[in-house]
């Protein structure tokens, strides 16, 4: 039976990666497991420059059951009144069901949409995060969905731009993992790794997906036999302290067109972030 360590080792042998980044394999598997369990949804954004390995990490869980990998979204993707043959509901949320994981490997495409379209999609995603979404339509029907959707997105640091991710409210629904910057020597090593892997890259990616599936099979067996332990008081306090720091530090501010500070908004509460941790 494969373990998280096996998945880390296989990824390390396949791609150039800094050791601290391998925690992403743990986080991705944890989010997938969470999508199967009770409790609040976990959303995570992997933030980094183009071609820095965001997609390769997220690819490892793309073939697991109830994982939906979408390339783009419209305001009618999640819910619509349209039906398929025999009246089947074809909206994305209806196909995803009550518990699932949504992946978007280029969330930056959402941020570059016209503001009115982007903000409508982000508003829908906020409701989906909360576990219930109803959409009123002009034909007298009101399609609705209730469930739990975990989410993993890949995005450039443009999510921090004023008017994009943070001010649109999307970022605050997510834990943000930022890929570290690389030195020139590391960038060269990354290129060497990529050149070596290119002839067999399809097999490498498939091998990692198979390994992730085997890791989850072992976790699923344990979940059926064991009760998930509760946090100790010390662990819970650590998460609360971390959450207080992060949610205060990422408080949004308003600036004028010259960049001058107009207002520092009240910091968000720590409960949502702490729950995700």
């Amino acid at each position: 039976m494969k373990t998280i360590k096996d998945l880390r080792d296989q990824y390390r042998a396949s791609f150039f990666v800094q050791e601290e980044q391998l925690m992403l394999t743990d986080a991705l598997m944890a989010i997938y497991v969470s999508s199967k369990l009770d409790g609040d949804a976990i959303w995570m954004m992997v933030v980094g420059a183009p071609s820095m390995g965001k997609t390769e990490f997220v690819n490892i869980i793309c073939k697991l059951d109830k994982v939906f990998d979408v390339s783009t979204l419209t305001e009618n993707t999640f819910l619509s009144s349209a039906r398929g043959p025999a009246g089947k509901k074809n909206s994305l949320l209806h196909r995803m069901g009550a518990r699932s994981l949504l992946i978007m490997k280029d969330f930056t495409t959402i941020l570059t949409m016209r503001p009115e379209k982007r903000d409508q999609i982000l508003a829908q995603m906020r409701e989906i995060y909360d576990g219930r979404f109803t959409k009123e339509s002009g034909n007298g029907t009101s399609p609705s969905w209730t469930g739990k959707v975990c989410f993993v997105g890949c995005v450039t640091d443009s999510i921090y731009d004023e008017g994009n991710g943070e001010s649109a409210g999307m970022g605050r629904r997510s834990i943000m993992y930022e890929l570290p910057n690389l030195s020139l020597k590391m960038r060269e090593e990354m290129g060497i790794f990529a050149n070596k892997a290119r002839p067999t890259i399809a097999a490498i990616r498939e091998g990692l997906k198979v390994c992730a599936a085997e890791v989850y099979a072992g976790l699923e067996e344990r979940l059926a036999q064991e009760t998930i332990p509760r946090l100790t008081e010390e662990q819970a306090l650590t998460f609360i302290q971390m959450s207080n720091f992060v949610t205060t530090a990422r408080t949004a501010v308003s600036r004028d067109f010259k960049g001058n500070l107009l207002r520092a908004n009240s910091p968000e509460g720590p409960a949502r972030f702490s729950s995700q941790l």
Side-chain angles (χ1 to χ4, degrees):
M1 189 69 69
K2 292 294 181 67
T3 66
I4 287 285
K5 181 180 182 303
D6 295 322
L7 185 59
R8 281 175 166 239
D9 290 343
Q10 190 164 331
Y11 195 94
R12 185 189 292 110
S14 303
F15 296 104
F16 174 81
V17 62
Q18 293 177 269
E19 285 299 309
E20 67 180 80
Q21 290 177 253
L22 288 172
M23 71 175 67
L24 268 176
T25 58
D26 304 49
L28 289 166
M29 293 304 299
I31 292 172
Y32 179 70
V33 170
S34 173
S35 71
K36 306 287 187 180
L37 304 176
D38 295 334
D40 294 336
I42 302 177
W43 286 24
M44 181 174 73
M45 287 285 189
V46 183
V47 185
S51 195
M52 291 299 290
K54 301 185 296 294
T55 299
E56 298 297 356
F57 268 112
V58 175
N59 268 337
I60 66 177
I61 60 170
C62 280
K63 289 294 182 71
L64 292 171
D65 181 51
K66 300 297 287 183
V67 173
F68 293 78
D69 182 6
V70 299
S71 298
T72 189
L73 298 169
T74 73
E75 59 271 30
N76 294 315
T77 299
F78 290 116
L79 277 183
S80 74
S81 300
R83 292 178 179 259
K88 183 177 181 180
K89 298 177 180 180
N90 283 337
S91 297
L92 178 59
L93 285 176
H94 289 143
R95 287 186 279 119
M96 292 175 71
R99 293 187 180 182
S100 55
L101 172 62
L102 178 65
I103 288 177
M104 194 164 189
K105 289 179 284 193
D106 188 11
F107 192 80
T108 308
T109 59
I110 302 298
L111 301 183
T112 55
M113 289 179 171
R114 295 199 306 272
E116 62 274 13
K117 292 179 69 67
R118 178 200 66 208
D119 292 348
Q120 188 173 1
I121 291 171
L122 294 180
Q124 292 180 4
M125 294 186 75
R126 287 194 290 272
E127 293 195 46
I128 292 167
Y129 175 90
D130 292 332
R132 183 174 180 83
F133 179 39
T134 299
K135 186 176 182 182
E136 299 292 339
S137 62
N139 62 7
T141 63
S142 300
S144 63
W145 165 89
T146 302
K148 174 181 177 178
V149 173
C150 289
F151 173 78
V152 176
C154 298
V155 69
T156 65
D157 53 12
S158 63
I159 194 171
Y160 299 130
D161 291 349
E162 181 71 20
N164 267 350
E166 286 290 335
S167 59
M170 179 63 191
R172 297 185 197 99
R173 292 297 192 277
S174 302
I175 295 172
M176 316 292 270
Y177 179 84
E178 294 194 18
L179 295 176
N181 292 324
L182 302 181
S183 65
L184 178 59
K185 185 176 186 303
M186 289 178 177
R187 292 170 66 89
E188 291 175 351
E189 291 176 7
M190 188 178 193
I192 292 170
F193 249 83
N195 284 334
K196 289 181 179 178
R198 185 174 296 114
T200 58
I201 190 64
I204 288 173
R205 289 169 177 157
E206 188 62 27
L208 284 165
K209 292 173 185 176
V210 170
C211 185
E214 293 181 7
V215 170
Y216 176 68
L219 294 173
E220 186 176 36
E221 185 176 316
R222 288 181 57 191
L223 288 171
Q225 299 171 355
E226 303 175 14
T227 300
I228 297 176
R230 297 185 63 83
L231 295 176
T232 65
E233 290 187 8
E234 183 179 3
Q235 290 169 333
L237 179 60
T238 298
F239 282 143
I240 291 168
Q241 291 171 337
M242 291 168 62
S243 301
N244 272 324
F245 174 78
V246 171
T247 53
T248 301
R250 70 181 187 181
T251 300
V253 298
S254 299
R255 300 181 183 276
D256 63 19
F257 69 97
K258 293 183 178 179
N260 298 315
L261 179 66
L262 296 176
R263 183 181 68 256
N265 298 324
S266 299
E268 65 180 292
R272 179 187 295 129
F273 192 84
S274 178
S275 176
Q276 289 190 326
L277 290 180

